[in-house]
Amino acid sequence: MTDPALHTLITTTSAALLAYIALWSGLQTFNANPTKRFMRIWVKLALYYAAYTMPIWAILLIMAWSQDLMPMLAQLSLPAILMAILMMGLYFYTVIVQPNRLRLEHHSIDLDLSTPLKVAVLADLRIGIYGGKPRHIRKLVSTINALSADAVLITGDWLYYPSADLVGQLMLFKGVNKPVYTVMSTSDLRYQSMNTTKQGQPLLEDTLASTFDVLDINYIGQQCTSLPLKCTRATNKQSVVNQSTYRTNNQDSVQQENPNINPLVAVLCGWQDVPKQSTDIETSEATDKAMLGSEIANATSPVIILASRFDSISDLPKSLQPRPLLITGAAKAIQKNILLAQKQNDIRRSSEQSALLYNSRMGKQRGLYQHASAQIFVSSGIGTRGLPFRFYRPTIDVLTIR
């Protein structure tokens, strides 16, 4: 092949790659159905799909440099070319490979339960422009189904610019063979309100709340339920849904009315944060939190609290015995709050295992902490937001609570 032919090949291939990145990311931006920040999402998706082309760019770079086809590249030394190829490989790995390397981490927590309880904790799913592809959810569901867990707890942060067909994108979660409980994060609630007209009607057919109903996922914002429940979805699905409105002071009657339910081991409560919109909403939120706090304080069994925010600890009732277990995610804002709390000596890491986890995960604030009001477990997280790459593996935390 002559040099002009090679130059034409490289130029044509480069133009085709750039056209693919621009056009495909644009189409996927429309699929994400953004009501604002269209250009920002387009740029993020362009960076995401550019990662798929990195191996081809590396080959083109080697060909152009070795044949001296471009004067600018000819001036670069071999170490510079190798460094560029290494950066391309690293970008491909952190965007394409790392998010698919799902793993399990096992932890043990003492909560004075009458019977040990095992739960799988998922945080920061971020279903949308980066995550939530069918291959991602299939792997997630199959991993969960293989666990011998009593329940699945999801701390919120479900969405990150999802498609308009929310039910279709999340339908594979219906294959989970265990009871699933969740709360919504502030960003999830903003997504719901963003897609609602002034008359209160949804702009989209699917909202996150209606999607939970279709997928048999129990939304427990500002509610309590008992754990564990039998996991035979075909026979007990309705009893699981009915339990989502369980209240701690009615646990004996619920047990009699639902014989398929296992003996009460713990009480699971959802601590829901609501975006500040008006004085009436803030007043209603304060009333709901006060009622839920009273339920937690009067519970006769150990309490597990599912929340999307670490700083929910400041609203919990004080001096509870035994102290409840607060399970939350590890979003960026949460990590800042944890660092601040550590500096003020409000919390401390629970064990050497947590310290090792901290050191091995690039400083991410995860693991078990001790606070005067509660034990706090910060889950590792699964999804990606912001820029499309991630440096640590997506993780399902499996808690054995004794």
Side-chain angles (χ1 to χ4, degrees), residues 1-217:
M1 183 178 291
T2 62
D3 286 347
L6 183 59
H7 185 277
T8 301
L9 174 63
I10 293 175
T11 303
T12 304
T13 304
S14 300
L17 291 177
L18 292 174
Y20 158 76
I21 293 170
L23 293 176
W24 188 246
S25 59
L27 289 173
Q28 294 303 312
T29 302
F30 283 108
N31 186 50
N33 193 48
T35 56
K36 57 181 180 179
R37 299 179 178 177
F38 185 93
M39 292 303 300
R40 179 181 298 185
I41 299 173
W42 193 344
V43 170
K44 290 181 177 181
L45 280 170
L47 292 173
Y48 175 71
Y49 288 109
Y52 286 90
T53 67
M54 286 298 110
I56 303 177
W57 285 114
I59 294 173
L60 295 179
L61 176 62
I62 294 172
M63 293 171 61
W65 179 77
S66 62
Q67 299 296 322
D68 294 330
L69 296 180
M70 298 181 182
M72 184 175 61
L73 291 179
Q75 298 176 3
L76 298 178
S77 63
L78 178 60
I81 294 296
L82 293 177
M83 180 61 68
I85 294 173
L86 178 62
M87 296 301 295
M88 291 179 186
L90 179 62
Y91 189 64
F92 177 83
Y93 181 84
T94 55
V95 175
I96 308 303
V97 179
Q98 188 77 307
N100 292 309
R101 300 180 64 231
L102 183 66
R103 72 171 179 180
L104 301 174
E105 283 191 355
H106 295 265
H107 310 265
S108 296
I109 300 176
D110 293 322
L111 197 62
D112 297 328
L113 300 186
S114 58
T115 303
L117 185 67
K118 183 177 287 188
V119 296
V121 179
L122 282 65
D124 304 325
L125 291 175
R126 306 294 182 183
I127 304 296
I129 57 176
Y130 302 144
K133 307 294 189 293
R135 66 180 184 276
H136 297 152
I137 300 180
R138 284 193 191 97
K139 186 171 185 178
L140 186 62
V141 170
S142 63
T143 303
I144 293 171
N145 289 346
L147 294 173
S148 59
D150 298 290
V152 178
L153 309 181
I154 302 178
T155 66
D157 286 316
W158 277 84
L159 307 176
Y160 189 64
Y161 299 110
S163 68
D165 182 17
L166 197 56
V167 170
Q169 193 168 16
L170 298 177
M171 183 56 72
L172 290 172
F173 276 100
K174 198 174 180 68
V176 176
N177 61 3
K178 300 167 177 60
V180 181
Y181 300 91
T182 188
V183 293
M184 290 192 206
S185 67
T186 303
S187 61
D188 293 332
L189 292 165
R190 286 199 188 105
Y191 172 81
Q192 290 240 126
S193 62
M194 181 178 65
N195 289 303
T196 304
T197 66
K198 292 182 179 180
Q199 290 75 33
Q201 299 299 318
L203 293 173
L204 303 179
E205 182 178 351
D206 302 331
T207 64
L208 190 55
S210 64
T211 301
F212 289 156
D213 293 337
V214 174
L215 302 182
D216 300 319
I217 293 174

